[in-house]
Amino acid sequence: MLAVSISLFTSRWTACTRPWDEEQVILKKVPYLPAEFCKELAHFSTLDLMDELPREAVSLKALAEVKDVEAALKSCEAPFLPLLEEGRCVSLLPRPDLEKLLRKRPSNDGAVEELMDVRRCAEPSGLQILEGTSPASLYPLFAQAHVQAACVVTASGLFCGIISRAGLAAKTTAIELEAQEKGFRSNHEDSDTDCDSDSEMARQ
């Protein structure tokens, strides 16, 4: 009870308006996506919110060599990888399903070049978001409608990247934590200034 009281007092002192349980999630850096739009995200573009996808992760073919699939998975931690055709995303490859497909492939002891049909674990690319869409407009899709992933595309439909719910949650948590730390430092500096002023007045 004492710990709860201290945390509640600290939240008020740092001018935090979030519920106490949400505050603890953010402080512990657990990826979390609040239902309400995080106002700090307004300073970012849609492209800033995309998952990190190195070249290896966006180069998979429908019939991919095993070594290319392994390289794609090792290159990043993104929960979805794209399957592209002529610069357009035709399918999303969920990471757990792709890893499972990789583990269950028949072994040929390296006798021939191994190929995998990654379409066996593919999901329709589904929702697409234009690259100029504001974060405030796309946020409810992930936070309230629970969309797991969406492709970001140009006006002509060319692939730019993927925004995943997990990736957006991680970015939102990091951004809110940084904003909170800045607010804490600002309040602390204001408090120090007030103390200095009080001390100066006492000496006079």
Side-chain angles (χ1 to χ4, degrees):
M1 186 64 185
L2 178 60
V4 173
S5 299
I6 293 173
S7 296
L8 288 171
F9 174 78
T10 303
S11 295
R12 294 192 185 97
W13 185 63
T14 56
C16 178
T17 59
R18 283 184 295 269
W20 179 81
D21 55 344
E22 289 186 16
E23 191 66 16
Q24 298 312 300
V25 169
I26 292 171
L27 288 173
K28 293 177 182 178
K29 301 182 180 181
V30 177
Y32 169 71
L33 203 59
E36 297 299 323
F37 178 64
C38 170
K39 62 182 180 180
E40 285 81 9
L41 287 177
H43 302 295
F44 295 82
S45 71
T46 298
L47 299 181
D48 294 326
L49 303 180
M50 296 190 307
D51 294 348
E52 181 181 350
L53 292 173
R55 179 179 57 81
E56 294 87 352
V58 298
S59 302
L60 290 178
K61 299 178 181 178
L63 288 176
E65 294 184 12
V66 168
K67 63 181 180 62
D68 291 336
V69 176
E70 292 174 336
L73 290 171
K74 289 178 180 178
S75 69
C76 65
E77 297 297 326
F80 292 88
L81 301 183
L83 180 59
L84 306 180
E85 287 184 7
E86 298 181 352
R88 288 172 166 76
C89 185
V90 294
S91 300
L92 292 176
L93 306 172
R95 185 183 192 89
D97 296 343
L98 193 57
E99 291 174 335
K100 182 178 180 180
L101 188 63
L102 187 63
R103 289 194 302 269
K104 289 190 173 182
R105 75 187 191 281
S107 175
N108 62 13
D109 299 322
V112 296
E113 191 67 50
E114 292 185 86
L115 295 176
M116 287 175 53
D117 187 351
V118 299
R119 291 171 296 187
R120 291 171 58 193
C121 67
E123 295 181 355
S125 57
L127 182 66
Q128 295 188 337
I129 298 172
L130 286 175
E131 57 182 335
T133 303
S134 69
S137 297
L138 65 87
Y139 189 85
L141 298 172
F142 298 93
Q144 298 174 18
H146 297 277
V147 169
Q148 294 303 307
C151 288
V152 179
V153 299
T154 65
S156 59
L158 294 178
F159 176 80
C160 294
I162 295 173
I163 295 179
S164 68
R165 190 172 193 273
L168 184 59
K171 286 183 172 66
T172 301
T173 301
I175 290 168
E176 287 205 327
L177 183 60
E178 182 180 359
Q180 180 174 308
E181 289 174 346
K182 287 181 179 178
F184 179 84
R185 288 196 298 269
S186 177
N187 288 337
H188 186 65
E189 290 169 359
D190 290 344
S191 178
D192 288 345
T193 301
D194 292 341
C195 289
D196 291 341
S197 298
D198 292 341
S199 298
E200 184 65 25
M201 291 177 65
R203 285 196 295 271
Q204 293 177 358

